[in-house]
Amino acid sequence: MTARTDAVAANPVEAFLRSDRMPHIWCPGCGIGTTVNCFARALLQAKLNLDRVVVVSGIGCTGRVAGYLELDSFHTTHGRAIPFATGLKLANPELTVVVYSGDGDLVGIGGNHFIHAARRNVDLKVICVNNFTYGMTGGQVAPTTPLGALSTTTPYGCFEQPFNLPQLAESSGAVYVARWTSYHVRQLTHAFGEALRKKGFSFIEILSPCPTLYERRNRLGDGLEMMKYFKEQSLVRHGAPTKELGLTFQGPIAVGKFVDRERPTFLETLNQQLARTLEAQYAGCAGEHVRD
Amino acid sequence: MDAEPTAPPGAGQPVEKTRRVRGVVYINGLRCKGCGFCIAFCPPKVLEFSSEFNPLGYHPPHLVRPEGCTGCDLCGLYCPDFAIYAVMIKNEPEDTRPPAPPAEGAPP
């Protein structure tokens, strides 16, 4: 017999998970688990020292990721994943700091932190799982809810213009911007690997189904139906101008890698400026010695 | 409901044209929440919902055409519950397939 139901320990991603917390709280058909699966495989392929990889999450369904990954992780207050991660990175620049959170947490509650971390080009890998709604709190309208979509707080259809997240990230200053969906597992794993190697503010938006709140309210079927929509409506447009990447309700989705550029990071500019001003008095910030 | 391995329908039945098995699928039926991603996106379509329930009350997938599996592990990449993965077998006769790993870590 080829299929075995008793095999658990040898799953390649099992080493990255806190198995005692499984099964996780995510609903059947939710895509967050798929993104975590891809992230674990990217870590596996990247061959990083896992003692130096940190995952920071905010509040929300995606915020639970930090609690399920067997890495140093922190579950911050709502919207404050990026400030915490910034402090972590500045205090210990050797760490690879990943911010893994949802759209409501990152660009809704924590939107101010998001644009300023991108502006300063803090060396963070920001992963935003976009399910178009505030999932954990009951399906309220989010800054990413498409026009016309129903939510608990917009029962007659959303009338707020949603964020175009790749454009927001690029115009704020991110050096790596990509968008994939939870259907594009291989591309997503590759993008995670690229972001982990990239120096500077890297941003990956992942569209993901929310079958319980977003889809049921909008009568879009289950998680699998949403995955099929991602499959049929996605068009790979690497390098496309990010102003063209806005999303509409059940409309076409442009996916791909849109921005990959170089800019000095926050720590580099900090050290450069202070070394220039203070000269010999300056010993370098956070363990980085400028006067070598 | 116990989660003992269940034989797929057709197991033990004579197959007219036998193909060498190229991949092995490992399914942890205890963790599965029956989202169906693995079944829908399996390229050779070798998985189907089992008729049995797991302790969570969902129908986990089972392998219906073992000879079709290529071991591409796309099911493993899609699974949001880390409940399935596949391993490729390279140039090995069927009887030297790697044995299934032990059941340690499986909830009772």
Side-chain angles (χ1 to χ4, degrees), chain B residues 14-99:
Chain B
V15 184
E16 282 194 4
K17 192 175 176 185
T18 312
R19 282 175 64 186
R20 190 172 57 78
V21 176
R22 290 171 291 168
V24 191
V25 181
Y26 298 100
I27 301 166
N28 176 5
L30 300 175
R31 245 185 218 178
C32 175
K33 290 184 192 154
C35 66
F37 289 0
C38 54
I39 296 168
F41 300 127
C42 170
K45 302 272 180 261
V46 300
L47 296 164
E48 265 179 31
F49 281 118
S50 146
S51 58
E52 297 198 359
F53 290 98
N54 70 4
L56 299 171
Y58 301 107
H59 295 287
H62 69 162
L63 191 62
V64 286
R65 291 196 302 113
E67 75 282 0
C69 177
T70 61
C72 69
D73 196 26
L74 210 59
C75 51
L77 263 168
Y78 274 111
C79 182
D81 293 278
F82 320 105
I84 186 171
Y85 67 100
V87 179
M88 209 176 277
I89 306 168
K90 285 179 184 166
N91 303 321
E92 286 178 53
E94 199 169 327
D95 52 351
T96 61
R97 274 175 284 155

Side-chain angles (χ1 to χ4, degrees), chain A residues 18 34 38 57 67 81-82 84 97 99 113 118 127 140 146 152 163 185 199 249 258 270 278 289 291:
Chain A
R18 301 186 197 212
T34 304
C38 297
S57 288
I82 287 181
F84 182 87
V97 184
V99 176
H113 303 302
I127 296 161
Q140 290 86 356
T152 345
F163 266 136
V185 283
K199 199 174 179 186
F249 183 65
F258 309 118
L270 169 79
L278 299 171
H289 294 282
R291 289 182 303 171

